[in-house]
């Protein structure tokens, strides 16, 4: 029993020593099972099984000593201290960071550890027999924790911080929250306990030491004075105690705007001017009230406050510039009023009720509008545009008088005229000075009851100042047209008609329109007084009824009766006309339906026989064919002429199988005839060049047509220049896609290389005739001998004259 207690107490003493070295009394037993040391039941009954004995290991981070740092000891209760057991470890850092004494089981740390990088290491321990290398204990896992020290300062990881707060916010208004993190162990000591404080900006803001919430410290933050603040916040660990580490960050706090400033006009009076002829809607000018606020707090509306300004002018707000636009609402008149005074008021659209006590959020200014005088056209007075005249008025009768006055101060005399485009028939005339409108022709209401004319009024000395007035002239009716029967009435009466039977109801028309309305009277004409067959009854509603007056009619005796009817209107003066009612006697059946009358209708047959129709169609068809044939021939003839005119001259190749007589042969061929076949003007300046001495791009093609043969002193001829030129032209023709697909004859007006003899022309010389020496002409050969003698004689004459 005592031996078992000694075997159990020794490992416990070793563990106690290790824990005392580390200053920690927390003990952890790994790999123990039932019956191992520490179990009270086993202490009483004896040890049954041996096992590992160690505590949880700690190592301080950032160790700066020169010797390896002792971590702890692993020990098996089967170790009797004779060195027969070999201890080994494996796992994280084994053999590199952590080394173990194989005999004693002491573990040392050989490197500097950082808890912020790795907080613990997991290793496995083995106890083997040194001789046989057999495991004496099962492999067991243990942990080495890195003990924290305060080596990391707080950091603000979410920066940069930008917050905002409304101006004039009360004290304590929350702005934003900042948070700093500390990499140290929050469960060990106070290394990770962070407190906040304000380093810069404490006059305007505070920060909660625990939460990091930034709040306003004053209530008079004014955006218009300062719109942003840079506040430096510091975070200190160790709960702010001496020796704690700290970090800081800068917080940008933007002061947002509130509508705490009313609009203000920079000037108390504005002056504008406008001509009196400006149309309604013309902008006079713009004024703007300034507002120190920003955004929608500067949105404002403008209005006219005085009664005169409201009537004459209108104020609108330009939403883009927030300016008041003053426009004309009624026509202006310099002669009536030269200066207008308008009171314009500006007020904010959105007023914050929290700041109403700061004052009224509106302002007023005075706008003086000066009306400028211009030369205006005359004005018609009064503006009545309706005139009336009787249709029987004589030519020259006065219809009415129009009056126009010059509104200007000068009051120039006015002249009148009628716009003849509105009175092309010259029915009316006007007195140029008085404006009296008179009739120019006889009027007829029934032809034209209304006339619309335009009267012009202009200044006598300035006809460009013209006003126009539209007049409507109504022609008043005069009873000058008699009434007439509405239609040429025809009626029918049965042979067996009875007295009093209604035959026809008649009505009349009258082109006149009396103001009191029409009233017509009907009676039989005087020539029908002996009529005993029919009677006429005036119904008193501008109609009359015709009735039979006897029993029965006989078609054999008389089949047609003509009844003259007299119609009279109500005047004044009363006019009448006579119309005739034609009554035919017809045979009727028992119901009174007309069967036949003695009126024969002769119908002339206008139809044609089928043969005549066919002949007519054949003639029309022949005419159409002839017309088409003529048109076809004309078109064919025209296209033939066009094709002949468009024939390409390049197909006319003239070939002469004859040899010339050299340079002196000038009569063998007519060179002008050869050149006339082609259009040398088509030769481009860039394609006419050849050998040296040619004109180059600026050469005039016309000069090539009349170039004289030049004498070449050297008998050796070089045709390479011509060959290169022709080859280049052939390549250009082959590459030109517009060339037609038939053969073409190319003309090359090319003279070859320059002549060694200088030009004889006096155009290109800069010297006078007296300065030139023509003696060299004698060396040009017999051809130039006469020319040399001629110039030599001229030279001798000039010398004698000078002497």
């Amino acid at each position: 029993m005592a031996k078992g207690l000694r075997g159990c107490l020794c490992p416990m003493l070793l563990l106690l020593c290790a824990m005392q070295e580390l200053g920690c009394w927390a003990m952890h037993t790994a790999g123990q099972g039932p019956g191992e040391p520490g179990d009270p039941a086993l202490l009483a009954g004896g040890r049954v099984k041996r096992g590992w004995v160690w505590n949880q290991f700690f190592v301080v981070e950032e160790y700066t000593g020169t010797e390896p740092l002792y971590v702890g000891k692993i020990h098996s209760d089967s170790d009797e201290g004779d060195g027969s057991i070999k201890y080994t470890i494996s796992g994280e850092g084994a053999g590199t960071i952590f080394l173990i004494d194989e005999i004693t089981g002491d573990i040392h740390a050989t490197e500097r550890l950082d808890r912020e990088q790795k907080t613990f290491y997991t290793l496995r321990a083995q106890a083997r027999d040194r001789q046989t290398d057999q495991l004496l204990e099962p492999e067991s896992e243990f942990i080495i924790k890195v003990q924290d020290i305060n080596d990391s300062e707080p950091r603000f990881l979410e920066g940069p911080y930008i917050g905002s707060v409304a101006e004039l916010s009360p004290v304590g208004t929350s702005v934003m929250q900042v948070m700093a993190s500390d990499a140290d162990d929050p469960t060990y000591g106070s290394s990770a306990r962070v407190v906040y404080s304000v380093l810069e900006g404490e006059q305007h803001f505070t920060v909660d030491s625990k939460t990091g919430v930034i709040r306003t410290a004053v209530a008079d933050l004014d955006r218009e004075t300062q719109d942003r603040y840079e506040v430096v916040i510091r975070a200190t660990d160790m709960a702010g105690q001496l020796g704690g580490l700290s970090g800081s960050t800068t917080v940008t706090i933007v002061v947002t705007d509130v509508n705490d400033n009313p609009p203000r006009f920079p000037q108390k009076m504005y002056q504008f001017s406008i001509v009196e002829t400006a149309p309604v809607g013309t902008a006079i000018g713009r004024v703007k009230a300034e507002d120190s606020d920003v955004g929608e707090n500067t949105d404002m509306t403008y209005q006219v406050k005085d009664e005169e300004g409201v009537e004459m002018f209108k104020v609108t707000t330009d939403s883009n510039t927030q300016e008041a636009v003053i426009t004309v609402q009624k026509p202006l008149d310099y002669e009536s009023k030269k200066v207008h005074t308008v009171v314009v008021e500006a007020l904010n659209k959105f007023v914050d009720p929290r700041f109403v006590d700061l004052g009224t959020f509106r302002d007023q200014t005075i706008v003086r509008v000066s009306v400028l005088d211009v030369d205006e056209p005359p004005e018609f007075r009064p503006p009545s545009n309706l005139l009336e005249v009787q249709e029987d008025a004589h030519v020259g009768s006065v219809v009415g008088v129009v009056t126009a006055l010059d509104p200007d101060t000068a009051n120039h005399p006015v002249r009148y005229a009628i716009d003849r485009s509105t009175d092309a028939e010259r029915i009316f005339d006007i007195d140029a000075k008085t404006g009296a409108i008179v009739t120019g022709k006889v009027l007829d209401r029934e032809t034209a009851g209304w006339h619309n004319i335009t009267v012009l009024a202009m200044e006598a000395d300035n006809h460009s100042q013209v006003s126009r007035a539209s007049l409507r002239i109504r022609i008043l009716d005069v009873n000058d047209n008699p009434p007439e029967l509405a239609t040429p009435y025809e009626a029918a009466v049965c042979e067996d008609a009875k007295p009093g039977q209604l035959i026809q109801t008649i009505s009349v028309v009258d082109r006149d329109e009396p103001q009191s309305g029409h009233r017509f009277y009907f009676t039989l004409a005087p020539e029908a007084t002996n009529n005993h067959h029919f009677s006429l009854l005036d119904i008193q509603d501008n109609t009359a009824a015709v009735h039979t007056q006897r029993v029965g009619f006989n078609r054999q005796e008389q089949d047609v009766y003509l009844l003259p009817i007299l119609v009279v209107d109500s005047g004044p003066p009363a006019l009448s006309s006579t119309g005739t009612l034609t009554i035919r006697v017809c045979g009727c059946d028992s119901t009174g339906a007309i069967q036949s009358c003695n009126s024969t209708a002769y119908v002339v047959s206008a139809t044609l026989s089928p043969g005549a129709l066919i002949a007519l169609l054949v003639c029309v068809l022949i005419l159409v064919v002839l017309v088409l044939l003529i048109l076809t021939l004309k078109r064919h003839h025209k296209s033939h002429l066009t094709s002949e005119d468009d024939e390409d001259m390049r197909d006319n190749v003239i070939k002469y199988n004859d040899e010339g007589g050299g340079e002196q042969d000038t009569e063998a061929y007519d060179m002008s005839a050869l050149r006339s076949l082609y259009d040398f003007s088509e030769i481009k300046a860039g394609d006419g060049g050849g050998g040296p001495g040619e004109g180059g791009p600026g050469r005039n093609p016309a000069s090539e047509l009349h170039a004289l043969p030049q004498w070449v002193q050297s008998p050796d001829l070089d045709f390479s220049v011509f060959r290169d030129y022709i080859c280049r032209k052939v390549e250009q023709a082959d590459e030109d896609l517009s060339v037609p697909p038939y053969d073409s004859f190319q003309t090359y007006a090319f003279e070859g290389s320059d002549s060694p003899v200088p030009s004889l022309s006096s155009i290109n010389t800069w010297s006078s005739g007296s300065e030139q020496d023509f003696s060299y002409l004698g060396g040009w050969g017999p051809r130039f001998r006469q020319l040399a003698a001629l110039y030599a004689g001229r030279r001798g004459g000039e010398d004698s004259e000078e002497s």
Side-chain angles (χ1 to χ4, degrees), residues 680-681 683-685 688 694-707 749:
F680 284 91
S681 63
I683 300 175
K684 299 180 180 178
E694 294 287 326
R699 182 179 179 184
N700 188 2
S703 65
E704 299 180 9
L705 301 181
H706 306 286

Side-chain angles (χ1 to χ4, degrees), residues 481-484 566-569 573-578:
N481 294 282
E484 300 174 350
L566 180 64
V567 183
V568 183
D569 60 16
L575 300 179
S576 64
S577 67
T578 300

